[in-house]
Amino acid sequence: MCEVRVTGGTLPQEEINAYIDRAREKYRREPRAIDIAVDGDFVDLRYDFGHVPFDRIRRITGYLVGTLDRFNDAKRCEEHDRVKHAV
């Protein structure tokens, strides 16, 4: 369930539901919370989607990869034998 906080005025429930639907369609995720700041005829929307998992992607032996799971034996050997430079 999405927590909605409205400040600076009041909004009908239909409009609040439209903002929730807009977030789902635009970001393709369920918002955890929405802050709606009412300023006359305008609103300022701030969405909170919570923690978004991030997978590290590296360039290894010419390929962008997150893990070495899908490398065959030759690629694993090439990765093992490469010279790793200090940062």
Side-chain angles (χ1 to χ4, degrees):
M1 187 69 188
C2 179
E3 178 185 348
V4 178
R5 295 178 291 266
V6 179
T7 57
T10 60
L11 294 174
Q13 188 61 43
E14 297 83 26
E15 188 172 350
I16 293 172
N17 292 342
Y19 292 134
I20 295 170
D21 291 341
R22 176 184 182 272
R24 288 180 186 139
E25 291 174 12
K26 184 174 181 179
Y27 299 105
R28 305 214 190 288
R29 295 185 284 164
E30 184 70 26
R32 221 174 54 176
I34 299 177
D35 292 321
I36 304 173
V38 179
D39 184 18
D41 291 337
F42 299 97
V43 294
D44 181 34
L45 302 173
R46 296 188 189 268
Y47 300 109
D48 177 14
F49 293 100
H51 175 70
V52 178
F54 177 79
D55 293 327
R56 180 178 177 197
I57 297 178
R58 303 173 287 168
R59 180 178 297 277
I60 299 176
T61 67
Y63 294 94
L64 292 175
V65 297
T67 65
L68 305 178
D69 298 358
R70 299 181 63 189
F71 275 14
N72 62 22
D73 292 338
K75 269 295 175 198
R76 286 177 197 263
C77 184
E78 182 179 340
E79 189 277 330
H80 181 268
D81 293 342
R82 73 188 178 116
V83 175
K84 297 180 173 123
H85 302 282
V87 177

